[in-house]
Amino acid sequence: MFKSVFIKYLTAFLVITIVGFSFLAAILNAAVRIDHLEDLERRVESAARYTQGRLQRELGFNFGRHDTTFSCLSQSIDALHDIILVISDFKDLRIFIVDSTGVPLVVGANQGEFINSGETISEQIMLSILDDHDFITRGTLGDFFQVDHVISAKNLLCEDGSVIAAVVAAADLAAMSVMVDSMMRTIITACVFVMMTGLVACLLISEKLSTPLKDMSRAAKSFATGKFDTRVAVSGRDEIAELAMAFNNMAQSLSELEDMRRSFVANVSHDLRTPMTSIAGFVDGILNGAIPPEKQSHYLGLVTLEIKRLSRLVTSLMDISRLESGDRKFNMKRHDICGVASRVLLSFEEKIESKALDVAFEMPGGRIFVTADSDAIHQVLQNLVENAVKFAREDGELRIKVAKQDNEVALSIFNHGVGIAPEDLPRVFDRFYKADKSRGLNKDGTGLGLFIAKTIVEAHGGTLSVRSREGEWCEFTMRLPAK
């Protein structure tokens, strides 16, 4: 199991799961980062603008044109600190005020490290802040911060409209990394859980699939040794169950075929051994003088009959071989099937009279034409009539009826006689099959005649069927296309 079905299912599942979750994680990571950055930009920009507005309203436009020392703002540092502290706590941001030289003068919560620390914003960055009324960027603000931030700056104006200071709002990007890491851990945990669940599911499914396949493999190996009694357990109604049922049906067919083959071999062996033994005995009797000259003609006649039996058997075997290989070609011509049936019936005149059979031949219109191989149809009718005469009871009825029905011609052969047992009816056309296993009546048969007849009829596009009531009657019907 771990070398075949299970590994295939597990590999496919793991590949799909890993690729799927990796793709999902990449999409979520990118989406979260973009959304979070956009949200931070909105928050810091909003906080900077709000703080700028509050400070402008609280302080008014009291900055002098030449008040470059920002002395008036420094004198109100306590009031400004309280305002920024409230805003920074509410927004969860770092908010502070820097003068035009980049020195932070007033900071919000937890920003005391910037006061008297000697850290200043570079002149180049301050020029960008003072020149841009909507300054926003990402980074460390020229190493002013130790880690990357999203930063927005809004200018504070003097009464003449000139810029003398700026409000800076910043948000630490480390929080985003923490959130993304937490999300990735959640995805990895879910992936591991799904893979473990899928592993169990793959194990159960592959076990359910592989068990009947293993049984079929063992049964097939058993078949290779000639044992056809092995069957596969069928459970459920899925495709595997249908396959198991088909396998069992195949095994049953093989078993029946093997039984018929053995029966056929036994029958053929008997049919070959009996006449050969008789021939050898009669010839030896003639050669060694055990049979007197006046009786030799009689025994030579018996030898001739036995040779004919052997010839019929060999002919039947050759017919089967040619039919199955497709070597037998049919000469399709239009001819009167009633004439063929009449000639076949006349060939059994002596046997019919010996049984005193009441013969009836029904053929409305006198002549009915079909396109077929005349010799092949003659062979079929020869076999059917021979069986009908052989198994008819003394003083019984033998009836042949030919009729045209729609687009086909039906020829039926009926007799009163031993009939066929119900259990034998489905198999009378099987090769090697012989219903008269006791060989009480059918001493000359090999179980091949009806199989050959049915094969010939089907090769002509027709059908051959049988109806019977055991101990009373039997009727074979051949249907051919009317062309």
Side-chain angles (χ1 to χ4, degrees), residues 248-426:
N248 288 339
N249 292 336
M250 180 193 69
Q252 181 64 29
S253 298
L254 288 174
S255 178
E256 293 175 356
L257 183 61
E258 178 64 13
D259 291 341
M260 287 188 291
R261 185 192 65 81
R262 291 174 180 172
S263 176
F264 168 73
V265 171
N267 290 341
V268 171
S269 298
H270 180 276
D271 289 336
L272 287 173
R273 185 173 59 250
T274 300
M276 291 176 68
T277 301
S278 299
I279 292 172
F282 296 150
V283 172
D284 287 342
I286 293 173
L287 292 176
N288 60 26
I291 298 177
E294 64 273 12
K295 293 185 178 181
Q296 288 181 2
S297 297
H298 170 72
Y299 285 101
L300 286 175
L302 295 179
V303 169
T304 301
L305 293 177
E306 296 298 337
I307 291 175
K308 290 180 178 178
R309 285 183 60 189
L310 289 175
S311 178
R312 287 196 299 270
L313 176 60
V314 172
T315 300
S316 295
L317 294 175
M318 292 181 62
D319 281 343
I320 288 179
S321 177
R322 293 172 59 197
L323 287 169
E324 291 186 334
S325 64
D327 291 338
R328 180 169 181 177
K329 306 301 180 183
F330 297 107
N331 184 19
M332 308 295 282
K333 291 184 179 179
R334 191 168 183 268
H335 64 275
D336 178 22
I337 193 172
C338 296
V340 177
S342 298
R343 290 193 296 272
V344 171
L345 187 61
L346 289 174
S347 67
F348 289 94
E349 182 178 3
E350 183 178 348
K351 293 182 179 180
I352 291 173
E353 291 181 353
S354 66
K355 280 195 169 185
L357 298 179
D358 181 13
V359 179
F361 197 128
E362 301 177 16
M363 45 180 181
R367 304 179 72 186
I368 298 178
F369 290 90
V370 295
T371 300
D373 187 306
S374 178
D375 292 337
I377 298 303
H378 185 281
Q379 182 181 354
V380 172
L381 295 179
Q382 182 88 13
N383 182 279
L384 296 179
V385 174
E386 181 181 12
N387 286 341
V389 173
K390 182 187 302 182
F391 295 105
R393 66 168 177 258
E394 299 285 342
D395 299 325
E397 180 182 359
L398 175 64
R399 183 173 67 244
I400 298 178
K401 180 179 179 181
V402 185
K404 187 173 182 179
Q405 302 172 351
D406 299 329
N407 295 323
E408 63 182 13
V409 173
L411 187 151
S412 61
I413 300 174
F414 174 92
N415 76 321
H416 284 124
V418 297
I420 302 174
E423 62 271 17
D424 290 326
L425 274 176

Side-chain angles (χ1 to χ4, degrees), residues 21 25 28-29 174-194:
F21 273 99
L28 289 177
N29 182 45
M176 182 179 68
S177 298
V178 172
M179 181 181 64
V180 172
D181 291 343
S182 176
M183 180 191 70
M184 292 302 298
R185 285 194 297 270
T186 302
I187 292 177
I188 292 174
T189 302
C191 182
V192 171
F193 176 78
V194 170

Side-chain angles (χ1 to χ4, degrees), residues 214-235:
K214 289 179 181 179
D215 292 342
M216 281 184 265
S217 177
R218 286 192 293 268
K221 293 177 181 178
S222 177
F223 294 166
T225 63
K227 300 177 181 178
F228 300 102
D229 56 346
T230 305
R231 297 294 182 270
V232 179
V234 179
S235 61

Side-chain angles (χ1 to χ4, degrees), residues 2-287:
F2 289 97
K3 295 181 180 179
S4 54
V5 177
F6 176 73
I7 289 298
K8 292 178 181 179
Y9 271 97
L10 180 60
T11 301
F13 174 79
L14 290 179
V15 169
I16 293 173
T17 302
I18 292 173
V19 171
F21 273 99
S22 298
F23 185 69
L24 176 63
I27 293 177
L28 289 177
N29 182 45
V32 169
R33 285 182 180 275
I34 293 173
D35 184 70
H36 190 61
L37 285 173
E38 291 177 349
D39 180 63
L40 286 180
E41 288 177 353
R42 288 192 297 268
R43 285 173 58 197
V44 297
E45 199 274 337
S46 174
R49 181 183 293 109
Y50 178 76
T51 304
Q52 176 201 37
R54 284 290 304 272
L55 293 178
Q56 291 282 189
R57 287 193 299 272
E58 291 290 337
L59 299 175
F61 293 93
N62 297 323
F63 309 122
R65 182 184 302 272
H66 304 291
D67 193 5
T68 58
T69 61
F70 207 21
S71 59
C72 63
L73 185 59
S74 300
Q75 293 173 358
S76 305
I77 192 170
D78 291 337
L80 294 174
H81 184 272
D82 291 340
I83 294 172
I84 295 174
L85 179 63
V86 172
I87 295 173
S88 61
D89 284 345
F90 178 73
K91 297 289 187 178
D92 193 24
L93 301 171
R94 294 179 176 182
I95 302 176
F96 54 94
I97 301 174
V98 294
D99 63 14
S100 59
T101 63
V103 177
L105 298 177
V106 183
V107 299
N110 300 320
Q111 303 299 318
E113 65 270 18
F114 295 125
I115 299 178
N116 300 323
S117 63
E119 295 291 342
T120 60
I121 300 175
S122 68
E123 180 180 356
Q124 183 178 1
I125 294 177
M126 280 307 303
L127 288 175
S128 299
I129 292 175
L130 297 177
D131 289 341
D132 189 354
H133 293 287
D134 293 310
F135 179 85
I136 187 166
T137 187
R138 301 171 192 168
T140 61
L141 205 61
D143 294 331
F144 183 77
F145 297 112
Q146 295 180 355
V147 296
D148 288 342
H149 283 64
V150 177
I151 305 159
S152 178
K154 300 293 182 182
N155 295 325
L156 292 174
L157 306 176
C158 293
E159 60 183 2
D160 62 355
S162 61
V163 179
I164 194 171
V167 176
V168 179
D172 192 348
L173 287 176
M176 182 179 68
S177 298
V178 172
M179 181 181 64
V180 172
D181 291 343
S182 176
M183 180 191 70
M184 292 302 298
R185 285 194 297 270
T186 302
I187 292 177
I188 292 174
T189 302
C191 182
V192 171
F193 176 78
V194 170
M195 285 192 293
M196 293 301 294
T197 304
L199 180 64
V200 175
C202 285
L203 180 62
L204 296 176
I205 294 174
S206 62
E207 179 68 19
K208 183 179 179 181
L209 291 176
S210 62
T211 297
L213 294 178
K214 289 179 181 179
D215 292 342
M216 281 184 265
S217 177
R218 286 192 293 268
K221 293 177 181 178
S222 177
F223 294 166
T225 63
K227 300 177 181 178
F228 300 102
D229 56 346
T230 305
R231 297 294 182 270
V232 179
V234 179
S235 61
R237 298 182 178 179
D238 55 11
E239 291 83 354
I240 298 295
E242 292 180 0
L243 178 61
M245 292 177 63
F247 188 89
N248 288 339
N249 292 336
M250 180 193 69
Q252 181 64 29
S253 298
L254 288 174
S255 178
E256 293 175 356
L257 183 61
E258 178 64 13
D259 291 341
M260 287 188 291
R261 185 192 65 81
R262 291 174 180 172
S263 176
F264 168 73
V265 171
N267 290 341
V268 171
S269 298
H270 180 276
D271 289 336
L272 287 173
R273 185 173 59 250
T274 300
M276 291 176 68
T277 301
S278 299
I279 292 172
F282 296 150
V283 172
D284 287 342
I286 293 173
L287 292 176

Side-chain angles (χ1 to χ4, degrees), residues 461-479:
T463 61
L464 182 61
S465 59
V466 61
R467 298 186 307 128
S468 179
R469 181 174 297 172
E470 187 177 11
E472 296 186 17
W473 57 269
C474 180
E475 181 181 42
F476 283 85
T477 301
M478 177 180 65
R479 299 179 183 276

